[in-house]
Structure formats: C-alpha cells, structure tokens
Amino acid sequence: MTAKRWLESQADAPWNDPNNDIDLNHYEFPQYYTSSFHAYSEGNLSYNAAFEQELASRAIGARNFPKFKDRGEDVFRGAFEKALVDLGARVAAGDNQDVVIVDFGCGTGTSTRRLAAQYSQATSVIGIDLSPYFIDVGQTLLKLAPNAISNGDVEGWITNVVPDSRIDLRQGNIEDTSLPSKSASVVNIGLVLHELPLSAAKQVILEAHRILKPGGQMWISEMDFESPAYRAQRENAVLFSLLRATEPYLDEYADGMPELRDFIVNVFSGDGEKGVVGQGFVKIAAATGRHYVLIAQKGDADELHGENALLQDLRFLQNGKYALEDTHLKPWESKEA
C-alpha cells in the first residue's frame, strides 16, 4: 500500500468522517489563494493536494540533491537549517521565558515538526496555514504518529512523525494571524513568499515583525532568482514556462526580489547603536546553489524607521561567483542517472 493510499484509508481521519464537511464559505481566503496552482485546479483547497504535499516535497528534495536519493529532502531541508544557524539564527526567550516559534505557511506541518525537533527550548511551535485541508492532514499525522515505510514497515507514511504536545497546527491567514504583538521569538517563512503576490508578501513581513519580540528573528528560506542557476532557467522561456504553469506569482516574486529585500530592511530597522543586542539587522546567505536564507532581527524600536538596519549579503564570493555549487538535476536528467 502506498503512503498516500495508507493515509487516505485511515478510518478515524476527518476525510472519512461523514459528518465532517468543510464548508469553504465559513472561511475568508485572499483572492490570490483561490487560484489554480501546483497543478491543482482548486489550489490548496482540497484533500488531494494536502495528501500529496509531503510527497511532492520529497520529490523536490531528491531533485535538488540527487546523489542522496531518498534522503534528498532531508539534505535539502537540512541545508536551509544549517545555513540559518551559520548565519546567526537563535531562539531568544522573553522576560517570561516563553519561547514561541511560529511557522508561517506550514502546509501539513513538515517544517513545523522539524522546528520542534531542532529547538527543544521552544515552549510552543505554532504552524499556520490557510488551507483547512492541509491542517486536517497535519493534525491527523501527529495523532497517528506513523513510522516511515522506508524503515521496512509495510504501511506508514514517507517519514517518521513524532507526536509533540508543543506543536499547534491551526488554520489562519499569515497576513493577519491574530497572535499577540511581541509574542514570538521566531517567525519562520519557508518556501512561501514565491507563492504570493508582492503586496501579500509585504503584508506577511509586516505581520511577522508585529508578532516578534524585540530581539526576535524572522527566518526566510526561498528560491533565489539572482543565483546563476535560476537566472539561467528563467532566461530559457520553454523551461521556465514549466515552472510558471504551476506557480502563478513566480514572475512577480522573481522581479520583486530586490524590492522585497529593501522592504524587509526598512521594516526591521532599529534605532539603537549598531552591534547592540536587539538592534535590527538583515543578513542573507546562500543555502543551496539556487536558494537563500535570510535572517531579520527585530530591533528595540516600536516604530519603523528605515535608517540603521544592517544588510549583509553573503550569497556571492569576492570573484562574483555564487557561494555554493548548484547540485540540482538538469531538466533533462533523471534521478536514476
């Protein structure tokens, strides 16, 4: 039995409950979210898309790090995690010692589960996603706590899922989370911004800044269209059309990268002296040969200034080359090659 069929067949799951009927009229979705993308006519508003999200993520990881085969996704996600730590990622506690990590656009919770496993000092790890279907699947996986079929089990999921009482997956809009201001130590935004119109991406950044404690950090992991690899792919109209077909806002994201980066610098500007803990800053570095990580630390100022934020860009070497080699499969290559 495949992982997807195993998940679909779970008798106690919400999708097999005849009394569970998700009425989308009870939710408010931004206009952009109701578009078709990721090859699903309903976008993320279906159980089928939710069942397949972690499967698709597995495939993407394998193409980014093909020599690791089935471990490709772990290496892919691990590359972002390592790059963030190397860049200065930290999880700071507030005065009351609550350590809250918020995962924006969590999907079915893969990234949320990894954050919880990586940061044991977190007292709460909140994952927020617009799709009630994705949240249903994520919550069900946490309840089922399946082993990975790669471990030799006949039935199970594609990864081990470890239940964790600190994880709270909830349906919501990351542009307006309703979380208290200055309540989060970290806001994580992993591979989300390229799926948004630029105006929505800016609102997400403002919301992250609002809920962060002074000294808290926003972590972004994203596609880098200023990298040679993605720049070359975008210049090939045929190849890029394949990406654009499933990502309707990809061109807007690619064209808007400099503007969004400037916006982040402006929002996270502080008004203390440079080098003082809590001073706003922005750092960016390569995570793979075609992806970057960004850390924006919130300063102590309550207002947005746009003067003193430090932007340190480490993506390119002094000779102009991208800092990391591109390991992604070429479009004509297969994972078995």
Side-chain angles (χ1 to χ4, degrees), residues 47 56 62 65 70 97 101 168 188 193 198 222 232 235 239 270 331:
Y47 276 125
F65 289 93
D70 290 343
Q97 298 304 308
I101 298 176
D168 176 9
N188 181 68
L193 297 177
L198 187 58
E222 260 303 347
E235 289 170 354
L239 291 180

Side-chain angles (χ1 to χ4, degrees), residues 171-182:
Q171 191 279 335
N173 188 346
I174 59 175
E175 296 179 53
D176 183 9
T177 64
S178 298
L179 292 173
S181 297
K182 302 179 182 180

Side-chain angles (χ1 to χ4, degrees), residues 30-33 175 192-203 249 252-253 260:
Q31 181 66 34
Y32 68 82
Y33 197 74
E175 296 179 53
V192 171
L193 297 177
H194 71 271
E195 298 184 348
L196 307 178
L198 187 58
S199 59
K202 289 180 177 180
Q203 189 57 47
Y249 300 102
E252 188 172 348
Y253 166 77
L260 184 61

Side-chain angles (χ1 to χ4, degrees), residues 109-124:
T110 302
S111 53
T112 319
R113 300 193 301 265
R114 290 182 71 101
L115 286 165
Q118 189 175 5
Y119 295 101
S120 59
Q121 69 268 45
T123 54
S124 177

